[in-house]
Amino acid sequence: MELHRCRFVDYMPSGIVALAFSPQTYTPSSRSQTLNSNGTSLVAQSDPKDDPTFKIQRKRSLPAPSSVSYLACVRENSDIEIYNPRPPAATSRGFFLEKTIPGGPSASTECIVWTHQIQLTPYPDPSDPADPNGVSSMALDDDDDDDRTAAQAEARRKEEEARMAGVPPRLFSAGLDGLIHEWDMNTLRPKTTVESNGGSVWCMAVNHIHTRLAVGCEDGCIRIFNVADGSLVYLRSFWRQEGRILSIAWDHTGRYVYSGSSDSSVRRFDTHSGLCIDRFTVGSTVANRLALKPKRGSKMDLGSDGEEEPTTSVPKRGGGGRTLEQTIVWTIAALADGTVVSGDSRGIVSFWNGKTGELRQSQKAHAADILCMASNAAGNVVFTAGVDRQIVQFKYTVLSHSTGPALSGPSVMTSDQPHLKRWIMTAQKRYHSHDVRALALLEGRPVDSLVSGGVDTQLTISQPASEFPIVSHIRLPPFPLQPLISVSRGARAVMCRYLDRVKVWKVGTGIPPVIPLSDLADGTRIKLGHKHRLWFEIAPKVSSHLTASAISDNGNWVALADLESVKLFKIDTTSGKPRIRKVKPEGYATPLLPEGVGATAILFTPDSGRMVVAGCDATVVVTDLREDSVEVVKRFRFHCGDDHDEDDGVKRSSRGRKRWESVCSLAVSSDGQWLASGDKANRIYIYNLDALKLHATIPRYPTPHTSVTFHPVSPTLIVTLHSNEVFLFDVETTERASVLSASTDSVPQCRLTDWSREYSHRLPRRLISKTEPARGVVVPPGRNDTLILWASSWMCTVDLKRPPMATRRTATTFRTPSGGTKRKSTTQEQPDLATPSKPSNDTAATPKLFGTAVPKTHAETNGTIVIEDSDDDEVAPEEEEDTEAVGNDGATTAGEDSKSQKQRKKKTPRPRGKVNGFTVHRYEDEDDVDSPLKFIERFAPIMGIGFIAGADEDGSVSMVAVERPVLEVVKKLPASFYRHKYGT
């Protein structure tokens, strides 16, 4: 079988602009950790006795957390990604991408903030309409009932505040369009939108009781919005200053607001009067400093017309006339003890007394601009980062007189104090290749993470943050969890979805070798005969970024969707050149979806006769495709929260009622009989498309699923979880669910296959401990007992005919009766199973690609012939367009030299142990391990995997792996910071 390595897809991931963790005050009432706008659970665990994997869940499920937090990540293209940092199960990893709010063609988001009000605020003093404590319509009015005692009022207050803690946090964003949005986490659309009344918004901050939102605008004004009790209402503006406001922070009392701007100053505003009552001046910058070239329209682009603002000439004292320019205060933070910390364009971190404006301390911590900052809740640790790519940690440290280092800046020690407290730069790390634009800190186990992101598009997580810099870090891939790649088998085409368009390429063909493929040695490379070519491109008018796309198996249909519409195109290839015709609304016998409703997932059946659409309203629509029309044959609404389907008589009791949640996964069997759909609440339904009715469900797991796939030759549904566990369900064999189950009461559940019942809960540690979850699974044609799991940085083949346990050779040393020693080599099964309570990190190796650290192991190709196809005319020797052929007996080394072969043969002794009194020396190498799991870590980063028809019309099938080389992405990034060093 041929494997085409396609590297011609020019997808460009977007950089990170802002990061924000939600407050750790949200306490959902159930075990769910998935965000929902109505405050209900998304992964409500069913009765474990009804689940055939009850023993698995009882061992691996974590107790319900006391609080739940979420991470919001804003990309340069205005997409907002929502991550759940807490692992839902002991074997799972955190930071699961739950939702992506798509941006728009003209949107530009610069800042984001979460609010979560958990306190009932008192009514303000009538003489002070700008009371920073805010107004709460939920405030208790004790005057309504004169007989109410103080104890009753306090009990009611506590009950109401407990209810408020169970309401999910609210998400706000703002940007250069001057609009402030509150987002609905279900519809992924703005719930409320207001004008800033001051032009572009550069920064936002919320007070500590989450009732007031301060916004820094282009016109130099700070504007206050009321966000108490679910509102978003403009209140007032503060005194206007010159220049835009680039950073903002509230103090812990809510009485003052601090702002940083481009005029070398930090200002303190009184929220009662709205006046500036203090100004802290930072030093100026010599004009011949590092010349940065900011992106037009970005925060670093200071001029309104795209040019940098003119500098202020200040003659040097004593002559010389050097030109100085204003310092930009990019970031600011107010700590719990009243200290104000600022980071500016000089690379200096300054610590101020927030009440008096006294500069307590300053330190040159960075070689260029400081763009972002994060601090802990106690206010004794501060992290800074910026253009020089370094993350620097400061700690508030106690130093003695005798041992303390000589530091510049005023002291905070008095004459009667024996010790001195100073801010000390304690550590620094460099994880990124370009500017770091955002930092976020989440304290407390089990997360305890410092998250950073910037121009290099990678989200980096350092854990545990409390032990910085002795931390392990994980790089999340910049590609969406749902693949952007669609493959048309019959048309031999690959389609990639971009923000506002799709491109379709015809895959090239390899030069047929003289020797039959079956006789070629493993790793043989074949040159590319005909290169790929761009077949066609579709760029429709969209209101938001594209959310779903699909191409039919015969290449005659292409469907695209955004949040507000679904567009279907007919591709006519009879004349050789593709002719694209959009199916107009009158071509639909009945409307596909309600007006203004888009789709989150689209799929065509293998015979290209039907299209399945998962609408943004969670409706699953099945349509028949005809030459000139589209007919809706069925609508399934089981993901919508309805008690029963509109046509079927399947009903649920009130105890099993579901709520609305968007569909994220679709799969259809090869014969077109079965359809599976999964949503963000981890509910997976299986439908019979012949009878057009709901057939069964599968048990719900605490770990979110990442993909659903049908086996090509058997009625088996393959489900992969975020923990890299794989479960196989026999669709045709069902069992009745218990009445107490949280799933549909009267709908049966599919049974696990024998292999899955035996081994799914005890897969090898190397698979379970992968830091990146599997994104999909495919079954190679002709090898029906083999699964190929794939992620962005790895692939793994699983042999279903054998247990997932390695067979290792063990050398045992024992004493002979004569007093000598003798060695005996035996072969035994080593389960090497993952311990649920102790998941490990697979990040020991140094080479890094998108997503995770890639171990320095040999490449494995698993019985395929590799044809490399890219757009580069000149490629590196290891990337030449040729083919690697490997045998059908499994994965072997391809393209290695003799030295690496010898290194791989070398045995590495493992620690000694004793078995029945004998000393055991265990050796482990690839030849000694006979495992049904084979890892392939050569093809990375992977965007998608599929199968296409062979070049010859003989029924053969080729495999396609779409890659996005790291170097191609780096070439398109802006230049990173460089400082010349002497002698280089």
Side-chain angles (χ1 to χ4, degrees):
M1 183 176 65
E2 296 179 348
L3 171 59
H4 293 259
R5 299 180 62 182
C6 301
R7 283 168 270 176
F8 47 77
V9 175
D10 54 349
Y11 176 81
M12 186 65 190
S14 184
I16 296 172
V17 175
L19 295 169
F21 277 109
S22 64
Q24 299 187 65
T25 53
Y26 172 42
T27 54
S29 57
S30 70
R31 305 180 61 156
S32 170
Q33 299 179 28
T34 308
L35 189 63
N36 197 354
S37 62
N38 57 12
T40 56
S41 163
L42 292 192
V43 190
Q45 185 64 29
S46 61
D47 190 338
K49 296 180 180 179
D50 303 321
D51 194 338
T53 59
F54 165 59
K55 294 181 180 180
I56 305 172
Q57 297 184 11
R58 182 174 59 183
K59 291 180 180 180
R60 301 188 177 191
S61 298
L62 290 177
S66 57
S67 62
V68 177
S69 183
Y70 298 92
L71 173 66
C73 172
V74 180
R75 299 273 178 178
E76 287 182 355
N77 56 17
S78 296
D79 284 354
I80 302 176
E81 300 171 348
I82 307 299
Y83 292 87
N84 189 342
R86 185 183 294 268
T91 55
S92 179
R93 58 206 45 81
F95 290 93
F96 175 72
L97 178 59
E98 289 193 350
K99 300 174 183 290
T100 299
I101 301 175
S106 59
S108 178
T109 304
E110 285 290 328
C111 49
I112 196 163
V113 67
W114 295 88
T115 66
H116 191 229
Q117 182 184 357
I118 60 171
Q119 296 180 9
L120 291 174
T121 55
Y123 287 102
D125 185 353
S127 63
D128 185 9
D131 188 341
N133 288 331
V135 178
S136 176
S137 60
M138 294 184 295
L140 302 176
D141 189 359
D142 295 334
D143 297 333
D144 292 343
D145 188 1
D146 297 335
D147 298 332
R148 180 179 301 160
T149 64
Q152 291 175 333
E154 183 65 20
R156 182 184 170 189
R157 176 179 294 275
K158 291 182 178 180
E159 180 181 353
E160 184 67 18
E161 290 182 349
R163 185 199 64 82
M164 295 169 63
V167 178
R170 304 164 64 193
L171 181 65
F172 297 89
S173 70
L176 303 185
D177 55 2
L179 300 176
I180 303 173
H181 302 284
E182 180 187 356
W183 295 96
D184 188 314
M185 291 301 166
N186 271 349
T187 63
L188 305 181
R189 295 184 180 182
K191 181 187 297 184
T192 308
T193 301
V194 298
E195 290 275 356
S196 68
N197 302 315
S200 301
V201 177
W202 296 99
C203 53
M204 288 194 305
V206 65
N207 64 350
H208 289 271
I209 58 174
H210 295 262
T211 57
R212 291 290 185 266
L213 184 67
V215 176
C217 299
E218 176 75 21
D219 62 354
C221 268
I222 296 177
R223 288 171 171 81
I224 304 298
F225 291 81
N226 179 23
V227 293
D229 310 332
S231 62
L232 178 58
V233 180
Y234 169 76
L235 288 182
R236 63 174 302 174
S237 298
F238 287 175
W239 175 82
R240 178 174 297 181
Q241 66 182 54
E242 295 183 3
R244 64 180 59 150
I245 298 175
L246 299 174
S247 54
I248 195 170
W250 289 80
D251 79 328
H252 279 248
T253 65
R255 177 65 185 270
Y256 304 107
V257 173
Y258 299 90
S259 71
S261 58
S262 57
D263 61 351
S264 304
S265 62
V266 175
R267 291 179 173 86
R268 178 162 65 115
F269 291 85
D270 187 292
T271 56
H272 289 181
S273 63
L275 299 178
C276 176
I277 59 176
D278 256 329
R279 176 177 176 178
F280 316 154
T281 304
V282 299
S284 300
T285 308
V286 180
N288 60 359
R289 67 181 179 94
L290 175 68
L292 299 175
K293 295 183 178 180
K295 178 181 175 181
R296 182 179 178 87
S298 66
K299 187 183 287 189
M300 295 185 66
D301 180 18
L302 296 182
S304 59
D305 57 352
E307 300 293 334
E308 207 171 306
E309 288 183 349
T311 59
T312 303
S313 297
V314 180
K316 182 181 178 181
R317 182 175 300 179
R322 285 196 303 174
T323 300
L324 302 180
E325 63 181 17
Q326 301 285 3
T327 299
I328 306 168
V329 182
W330 292 116
T331 179
I332 193 171
L335 306 183
D337 62 352
T339 301
V340 176
V341 189
S342 64
D344 55 44
S345 56
R346 302 172 299 166
I348 294 178
V349 180
S350 303
F351 298 88
W352 310 82
N353 186 321
K355 296 182 179 179
T356 64
E358 174 193 6
L359 178 62
R360 291 182 171 179
Q361 211 176 318
S362 64
Q363 188 166 353
K364 176 75 172 178
H366 295 266
D369 300 51
I370 301 173
L371 302 180
C372 52
M373 184 183 301
S375 62
N376 66 345
N380 55 12
V381 177
V382 173
F383 295 93
T384 60
V387 174
D388 66 350
R389 304 168 289 163
Q390 288 197 121
I391 299 176
V392 178
Q393 181 193 56
F394 291 87
K395 281 189 175 181
Y396 200 41
T397 309
V398 177
L399 302 176
S400 64
H401 283 289
S402 58
T403 60
L407 299 175
S408 61
S411 169
V412 297
M413 180 192 67
T414 60
S415 58
D416 58 344
Q417 288 178 326
H419 293 84
L420 171 70
K421 281 189 174 182
R422 301 299 298 266
W423 284 95
I424 305 298
M425 187 173 69
T426 56
Q428 56 186 11
K429 280 282 189 178
R430 182 173 295 170
Y431 296 131
H432 297 269
S433 62
H434 289 70
D435 304 4
V436 181
R437 298 190 60 184
L439 283 176
L441 178 64
L442 181 63
E443 299 178 86
R445 301 287 183 173
V447 182
D448 194 17
S449 301
L450 176 66
V451 183
S452 58
V455 178
D456 63 0
T457 74
Q458 297 191 58
L459 194 65
T460 303
I461 302 157
S462 304
Q463 297 175 324
S466 58
E467 299 179 10
F468 190 90
I470 307 174
V471 295
S472 62
H473 66 281
I474 301 172
R475 289 184 172 92
L476 300 184
F479 308 115
L481 186 62
Q482 276 69 37
L484 301 171
I485 301 297
S486 302
V487 178
S488 175
R489 176 175 296 196
R492 289 180 55 85
V494 171
M495 182 176 75
C496 179
R497 181 175 80 246
Y498 297 81
L499 298 179
D500 59 348
R501 67 190 62 211
V502 294
K503 292 182 180 180
V504 183
W505 292 267
K506 283 281 192 177
V507 179
T509 58
I511 299 176
V514 179
I515 303 175
L517 298 181
S518 58
D519 297 336
L520 290 177
D522 295 348
T524 304
R525 297 188 175 187
I526 298 177
K527 291 290 184 180
L528 190 66
H530 299 281
K531 289 191 64 174
H532 67 280
R533 59 183 176 89
L534 182 63
W535 194 17
F536 60 86
E537 179 179 351
I538 301 177
K541 293 182 180 180
V542 293
S543 59
S544 68
H545 295 161
L546 294 177
T547 57
S549 62
I551 184 171
S552 64
D553 228 22
N554 58 12
N556 293 336
W557 298 94
V558 172
L560 309 176
D562 59 6
L563 288 179
E564 297 185 0
S565 63
V566 178
K567 298 177 174 62
L568 181 63
F569 299 88
K570 184 71 168 61
I571 312 300
D572 185 5
T573 59
T574 56
S575 61
K577 185 178 180 180
R579 298 176 57 189
I580 304 172
R581 178 175 60 86
K582 180 182 177 182
V583 178
K584 297 182 179 180
E586 51 267 22
Y588 297 91
T590 57
L592 187 64
L593 291 167
E595 185 178 357
V597 177
T600 56
I602 304 176
L603 184 68
F604 290 96
T605 56
D607 61 357
S608 303
R610 282 181 170 178
M611 178 179 67
V612 182
V613 178
C616 289
D617 59 353
T619 302
V620 178
V621 183
V622 182
T623 64
D624 278 342
L625 300 178
R626 300 175 182 176
E627 187 64 28
D628 297 322
S629 64
V630 179
E631 182 180 356
V632 176
V633 296
K634 185 63 178 179
R635 300 179 191 270
F636 297 106
R637 300 183 57 85
F638 293 99
H639 296 282
C640 299
D642 294 349
D643 285 343
H644 61 277
D645 185 70
E646 61 179 10
D647 297 327
D648 295 336
V650 179
K651 294 187 178 181
R652 299 185 286 275
S653 65
S654 59
R655 180 170 40 202
R657 178 174 295 187
K658 305 293 189 250
R659 86 226 129 261
W660 187 96
E661 187 54 35
S662 59
V663 178
C664 59
S665 304
L666 288 175
V668 65
S669 60
S670 57
D671 58 359
Q673 180 182 1
W674 306 107
L675 169 68
S677 62
D679 60 20
K680 294 292 186 180
N682 225 23
R683 302 174 303 205
I684 299 178
Y685 297 101
I686 300 173
Y687 312 92
N688 188 326
L689 292 184
D690 292 341
L692 293 176
K693 60 184 296 185
L694 178 66
H695 173 70
T697 64
I698 69 169
R700 296 173 62 192
Y701 297 95
T703 304
H705 75 279
T706 56
S707 70
V708 293
T709 307
F710 279 98
H711 196 281
V713 297
S714 66
T716 302
L717 180 67
I718 308 170
V719 180
T720 60
L721 304 184
H722 189 250
S723 58
N724 284 340
E725 293 171 297
V726 183
F727 291 92
L728 283 68
F729 294 91
D730 187 346
V731 175
E732 294 182 346
T733 305
T734 60
E735 57 187 5
R736 185 62 57 182
S738 169
V739 179
L740 297 177
S741 175
S743 60
T744 26
D745 291 341
S746 58
V747 177
Q749 291 184 348
C750 294
R751 290 178 59 89
L752 288 171
T753 63
D754 295 339
W755 184 94
S756 192
R757 280 180 174 271
E758 183 69 22
Y759 303 116
S760 288
H761 63 285
R762 52 194 188 106
L763 294 173
R765 180 181 291 107
R766 188 180 178 191
L767 175 61
I768 298 298
S769 62
K770 283 290 183 182
T771 56
E772 183 185 350
R775 294 175 173 240
V777 59
V778 295
V779 180
R783 300 171 62 185
N784 299 326
D785 294 323
T786 301
L787 304 180
I788 300 180
L789 308 178
W790 67 272
S792 179
S793 60
W794 57 270
M795 288 193 293
C796 175
T797 62
V798 182
D799 190 349
L800 300 180
K801 295 182 295 185
R802 302 163 56 193
M805 303 174 186
T807 302
R808 306 183 187 275
R809 188 176 63 194
T810 302
T812 305
T813 303
F814 58 93
R815 293 189 178 275
T816 62
S818 60
T821 59
K822 186 176 180 180
R823 295 173 60 84
K824 181 180 179 181
S825 179
T826 59
T827 302
Q828 60 181 4
E829 284 190 353
Q830 300 290 338
D832 193 25
L833 302 179
T835 303
S837 59
K838 295 182 180 180
S840 59
N841 255 348
D842 192 14
T843 56
T846 52
K848 301 295 190 299
L849 294 176
F850 283 151
T852 59
V854 180
K856 293 182 177 178
T857 58
H858 64 279
E860 298 173 346
T861 48
N862 284 277
T864 58
I865 295 174
V866 181
I867 300 177
E868 300 179 353
D869 192 355
S870 68
D871 272 329
D872 299 334
D873 296 331
E874 296 181 2
V875 295
E878 65 273 11
E879 294 185 356
E880 292 181 355
E881 296 180 359
D882 53 11
T883 298
E884 298 175 359
V886 296
N888 295 324
D889 56 346
T892 57
T893 303
E896 291 186 315
D897 55 15
S898 58
K899 181 178 179 181
S900 60
Q901 289 278 4
K902 293 178 181 179
Q903 291 177 347
R904 189 168 59 87
K905 293 285 186 179
K906 185 178 179 180
K907 299 177 182 179
T908 304
R910 298 183 64 183
R912 296 185 179 185
K914 288 191 176 183
V915 179
N916 297 329
F918 299 112
T919 302
V920 176
H921 301 267
R922 182 173 297 169
Y923 295 85
E924 180 179 325
D925 59 61
E926 291 297 328
D927 292 338
D928 292 336
V929 178
D930 184 17
S931 173
L933 270 67
K934 301 291 184 181
F935 284 87
I936 310 166
E937 292 164 334
R938 177 179 185 179
F939 312 123
I942 302 173
M943 295 183 62
I945 288 180
F947 295 97
I948 60 174
D952 301 327
E953 298 181 359
D954 55 358
S956 61
V957 178
S958 302
M959 186 175 177
V960 172
V962 179
E963 303 172 84
R964 184 58 173 149
V966 179
L967 293 180
E968 294 301 321
V969 174
V970 173
K971 287 179 183 178
K972 295 187 177 182
L973 294 177
S976 61
F977 172 79
Y978 173 77
R979 181 174 59 178
H980 177 73
K981 295 183 179 180
Y982 178 76
T984 60

